[in-house]
C-alpha cells in the first residue's frame, strides 16, 4: 500500500477501527499527516443529524474545519517534541492528532482529486531563499560589521533592493552606471544582486517587474563588460 492508497480512506473516515486507521498512518508516519493537512479542507462534511439552515450549516462546517486545524497544529507540536527528544513511543498519539482525529472531526467525503503535499515545494523554496540570504549576508559581512542574517534581511535588503532596481526602472539604460556603482561600493556580484531581488520577489514593491526587457539586457552586457575589465 502506497501513501495515496493509505491516505484516501483516512480522509474519507471510512476505516472501521482505530487499529485500521493507525495501520494506514504507519504506512508512512511522516507523509500521511502531510496528506491530511493538504487535503482536509477539500472534504465535504456529511450532513448534520438534524435539519439546519444554510447559515447554520456553514457555521457548523467552519467549526469542524477549525477543530481539525487545531488537532493538526497539536500534532505538529508533538512531532517537533518527538524529534527533539527521540520519543518515538508517542507515534500512535501523533497519528491520532495529525491524521485520524482531524478527518474524524470533519467526517466528510473527498470531492476532488487527492493532492500530493505542497509542503515539499514550499520547503525547497524556503531552503533556496535561505541559501540566497546566507550568500548576501557574507557578501555584506565587512560593510555591515557582521550583522545577523535577520538583520541583513530586515535592514539592508529592502534598501539595497531599491538602490539596485529603481535607477533602471526610472531612468532605463541611463540608470545602469548608478546600479553598477552601488554594486561596486558594496562588493556585490551579479549573483548576489539577483539574490537580493529574489528575496524581495513576493513584495508588491519589487521594481524588477517594471524594468523593460531591453534595459535588463543592456545591464547584463554592461555588467559583463565591467567584470571583464576588472578581471583583465
Amino acid at each position: 500500500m502506497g501513501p495515496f492508497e493509505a491516505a484516501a480512506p483516512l480522509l474519507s473516515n471510512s476505516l472501521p477501527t482505530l487499529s485500521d486507521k493507525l495501520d494506514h498512518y504507519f504506512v508512512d508516519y511522516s507523509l500521511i499527516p502531510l496528506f491530511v493537512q493538504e487535503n482536509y479542507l477539500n472534504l465535504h462534511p456529511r450532513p448534520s443529524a438534524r435539519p439546519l439552515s444554510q447559515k447554520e450549516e456553514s457555521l457548523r462546517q467552519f467549526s469542524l474545519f477549525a477543530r481539525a486545524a487545531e488537532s493538526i497544529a497539536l500534532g505538529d507540536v508533538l512531532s517537533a517534541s518527538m524529534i527533539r527528544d527521540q520519543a518515538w513511543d508517542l507515534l500512535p498519539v501523533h497519528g491520532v492528532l495529525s491524521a485520524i482525529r482531524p478527518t474524524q472531526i470533519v467526517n466528510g467525503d473527498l470531492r476532488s482529486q487527492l493532492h500530493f503535499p505542497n509542503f515539499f515545494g514550499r520547503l525547497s523554496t524556503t531552503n533556496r531563499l535561505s541559501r540566497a540570504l546566507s550568500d548576501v549576508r557574507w557578501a555584506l559581512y565587512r560593510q555591515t560589521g557582521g550583522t545577523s542574517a535577520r538583520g541583513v534581511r530586515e535592514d539592508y535588503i529592502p534598501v539595497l533592493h531599491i538602490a539596485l532596481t529603481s535607477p533602471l526602472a526610472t531612468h532605463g539604460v541611463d540608470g545602469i552606471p548608478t546600479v553598477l556603482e552601488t554594486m561596486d561600493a558594496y562588493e556585490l556580484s551579479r549573483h548576489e544582486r539577483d539574490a537580493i531581488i529574489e528575496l524581495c520577489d513576493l513584495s508588491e514593491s519589487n521594481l524588477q517587474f517594471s524594468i523593460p526587457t531591453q534595459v535588463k539586457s543592456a545591464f547584463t552586457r554592461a555588467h559583463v563588460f565591467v567584470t571583464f575589465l576588472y578581471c583583465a
Side-chain angles (χ1 to χ4, degrees), residues 165-231:
T165 55
S166 180
L168 301 178
T170 305
H171 304 293
V173 293
D174 293 334
I176 291 176
T178 302
V179 174
L180 292 175
E181 289 172 6
T182 300
M183 293 175 65
D184 182 62
Y186 284 92
E187 301 178 2
L188 296 172
S189 68
R190 177 62 185 270
H191 167 74
E192 285 130 18
R193 177 185 181 270
D194 292 344
I196 289 171
I197 292 172
E198 184 177 24
L199 287 164
C200 292
D201 192 43
L202 298 179
S203 170
E204 295 180 357
S205 60
N206 194 333
L207 297 172
Q208 180 74 359
F209 298 137
S210 61
I211 300 174
T213 302
Q214 60 269 29
V215 175
K216 294 179 182 178
S217 300
F219 171 77
T220 299
R221 292 192 296 270
H223 183 267
V224 170
F225 178 73
V226 169
T227 302
F228 174 78
L229 291 178
Y230 180 80
C231 296

Side-chain angles (χ1 to χ4, degrees), residues 136-180:
V136 173
R137 184 201 173 200
W138 288 114
L140 297 174
Y141 193 85
R142 188 166 62 86
Q143 290 87 348
T144 62
T147 300
S148 67
R150 180 174 181 177
V152 169
R153 178 64 185 89
E154 294 180 352
D155 299 330
Y156 286 88
I157 285 180
V159 178
L160 283 170
H161 167 250
I162 294 173
L164 296 171
T165 55
S166 180
L168 301 178
T170 305
H171 304 293
V173 293
D174 293 334
I176 291 176
T178 302
V179 174
L180 292 175

Side-chain angles (χ1 to χ4, degrees), residues 77-98:
V77 173
L78 180 60
S79 176
S81 177
M82 285 193 312
I83 294 171
R84 183 183 65 247
D85 302 331
Q86 298 293 293
W88 304 115
D89 55 317
L90 294 176
L91 276 172
V93 181
H94 176 256
V96 170
L97 288 174
S98 63

